Amino acid sequence: MRAKTKMIHGGITNDEKTGAVSVPIYQVSTYKQDQVGKHRGFEYSRTGNPTRHALETVISELENGRAGFAFGSGMAAITSVMMLFDADDHVVMTDDVYGGTYRLMTSVLNRFNLDHTYVDTSYPEKVEAAITDKTKAIYVETPTNPLLKITDIKKMAEIAKKHDLKLIVDNTFATPYWQLPIDLGADIVLHSATKYIGGHSDVVAGVVVVNSDELAKELHFIQNSVGGVLGPQDSWLLMRGIKTLALRMEATESNTKKIVTFLQNHDKVSTIYYPGIKSHKGHDIASEQASGYGGMISFDVGSGELAEKVLEKVKYFTLAESLGAVESLISLPAQMTHASIPRERRLELGITDGLIRISVGIEDSDDLIEDLEKALQ
């Protein structure tokens, strides 16, 4: 089954009892048991819910994994994955991660003595150098947020296998339509499903897919124990979003390429971060491991003052947190998504005060370009 077809016909697609072509929303907390300890597949909705199960099945199939899990947010998904590890374990992580991931590792999970080291994972030798006898996993975000760095997933899988580590990939920006990390050797793939998978700015969710029955058993235990599960209404919204994911990703990328060309020819734009540009350091690897470059662009206009003016002047780009929606969004990472990272650290990474991040939507590309042109003027 090809990707577009799988997004429509993958997983559980209907209700066997009624023939409904949309999985019902099972707004229920508990289930009648036929006998003590004998149930019909569900006993309590924290442990399992039919609507959530349908979502978890289709996301697992889309990522070519063994099992899927849905959580109340992307951060709940990441936190649950990190709970697979013990105190004093160590994780090597991409340096240019989402600000919420940085905050989780440095201000929350460090209280439980889960250690980590940030490195630029686009350099395999830096990953190797950061591995210690306590390292249990490599955590990769590719493309990264907001600088869109690219990490060679196959190479990371080789390193992980060599050192008996788990490879975790945040696939939020690429989605399973463009990139399949498990096929490239990853053990765990996760998404902030709030973004492209949902796609309509109407749901907050996270999903995880694992590549083995052993990991599935461990993560289900954590999901059930901690309880950060996704509700049935939001699970249904994600399934609806998945049905148009391929179409949205293609429309978004088409718009993005035109906007990148416009930005390349604008005198107020000094640097553009987009893996679809041949001069991008990770272009060749991105071209090999993904079938598309996505709809995220970051570009530098030289100063925070000018960046703020641009954000004030745009009309069709909505100034907002988040990304991956049908409407185009614009943000200033230094003051918004990555504000939790100390300024010194941001500047080290290249997240300047003048860096603007846009999530390109599915509007008419000419309107979006005219909007940016007027704002930059």
Side-chain angles (χ1 to χ4, degrees):
M1 196 186 302
R2 293 171 178 83
K4 284 183 180 178
T5 307
K6 193 183 286 187
M7 288 173 185
I8 303 297
H9 296 286
I12 300 167
T13 57
N14 55 40
D15 180 44
E16 291 185 3
K17 292 182 179 179
T18 65
V21 296
S22 176
V23 175
I25 299 171
Y26 285 90
Q27 195 69 50
V28 59
S29 61
T30 193
Y31 307 81
K32 179 183 177 181
Q33 300 189 17
D34 298 321
Q35 296 176 13
V36 176
K38 184 180 179 182
H39 54 76
R40 304 175 194 180
F42 299 94
E43 52 187 325
Y44 189 63
S45 277
R46 172 168 40 80
T47 308
N49 173 281
T51 314
R52 191 175 86 233
H53 174 66
L55 167 65
E56 292 173 333
T57 301
V58 70
I59 194 64
S60 176
E61 290 190 11
L62 291 180
E63 286 285 4
N64 293 336
R66 290 291 294 173
F69 301 88
F71 297 88
S73 69
M75 292 314 305
I78 295 170
T79 301
S80 297
V81 167
M82 289 303 172
M83 287 181 178
L84 291 166
F85 308 112
D86 299 322
D88 295 325
D89 283 349
H90 174 256
V91 181
V92 178
M93 302 190 73
T94 299
D95 55 359
D96 181 35
V97 290
Y98 167 55
T101 307
Y102 179 91
R103 179 176 57 226
L104 172 71
M105 298 302 297
T106 58
S107 301
V108 179
L109 295 183
N110 62 323
R111 303 176 191 177
F112 302 94
N113 294 325
L114 180 60
D115 196 13
H116 64 279
T117 300
Y118 289 114
V119 300
D120 187 343
T121 53
S122 58
Y123 294 93
E125 64 274 14
K126 292 185 179 181
V127 175
E128 288 260 21
I131 294 171
T132 72
D133 57 357
K134 292 186 177 182
T135 305
K136 301 297 181 184
I138 300 171
Y139 182 103
V140 169
E141 193 177 292
T142 183
T144 64
N145 183 5
L147 297 174
L148 295 139
K149 294 180 183 178
I150 301 296
T151 295
D152 187 332
I153 298 173
K154 278 188 177 179
K155 185 63 179 177
M156 291 301 107
E158 290 174 9
I159 295 171
K161 187 175 182 180
K162 174 183 174 183
H163 295 276
D164 194 25
L165 310 177
K166 299 299 182 188
L167 175 59
I168 305 163
V169 178
D170 184 332
N171 201 31
T172 299
F173 274 24
T175 81
Y177 186 62
W178 291 136
Q179 183 170 268
L180 295 167
I182 287 178
D183 286 358
L184 299 169
D187 299 289
I188 301 172
V189 179
L190 56 86
H191 296 261
S192 172
T194 309
K195 313 305 192 293
Y196 287 107
I197 291 176
H200 292 78
S201 299
D202 55 10
V203 61
V204 174
V207 294
V208 179
V209 177
V210 298
N211 73 341
S212 71
D213 292 335
E214 180 184 358
L215 277 172
K217 183 178 179 180
E218 290 182 44
L219 194 56
H220 181 262
F221 176 80
I222 289 169
Q223 183 190 46
N224 187 43
S225 300
V226 176
V229 297
L230 190 65
Q233 176 76 32
D234 289 344
S235 296
W236 185 87
L237 285 171
L238 284 191
M239 284 189 287
R240 186 178 67 170
I242 285 171
K243 292 181 187 298
T244 61
L245 177 60
L247 302 180
R248 288 186 286 107
M249 295 308 292
E250 290 181 355
T252 294
E253 181 163 288
S254 176
N255 280 350
T256 302
K257 289 178 178 178
K258 295 173 184 176
I259 292 171
V260 166
T261 300
F262 159 74
L263 292 172
Q264 286 178 307
N265 294 300
H266 202 287
D267 58 3
K268 289 184 180 176
V269 176
S270 58
T271 310
I272 303 170
Y273 301 92
Y274 183 65
I277 300 173
K278 289 186 177 181
S279 59
H280 187 287
K281 177 182 175 296
H283 174 76
D284 291 342
I285 294 172
S287 301
E288 291 174 10
Q289 70 186 17
S291 54
Y293 304 108
M296 299 299 301
I297 312 169
S298 291
F299 59 98
D300 203 316
V301 294
S303 73
E305 182 182 5
L306 179 55
E308 288 187 34
K309 287 181 179 179
V310 171
L311 268 61
E312 290 172 5
K313 296 292 184 181
V314 286
K315 179 179 179 182
Y316 298 128
F317 284 87
T318 301
L319 174 59
E321 301 274 0
S322 200
L323 57 100
V326 290
E327 62 272 351
S328 294
L329 304 176
I330 191 166
S331 67
L332 201 60
Q335 294 187 39
M336 298 173 71
T337 55
H338 292 67
S340 59
I341 300 176
R343 187 171 188 272
E344 297 76 17
R345 176 63 177 161
R346 291 199 304 267
L347 294 177
E348 279 179 25
L349 294 170
I351 305 173
T352 64
D353 294 340
L355 185 73
I356 294 173
R357 189 193 75 180
I358 58 175
S359 169
V360 180
I362 63 172
E363 302 94 337
D364 188 292
S365 60
D366 289 339
D367 285 328
L368 296 176
I369 290 170
E370 289 172 9
D371 195 27
L372 285 172
E373 187 171 24
K374 290 176 182 177
L376 284 165
Q377 287 175 352

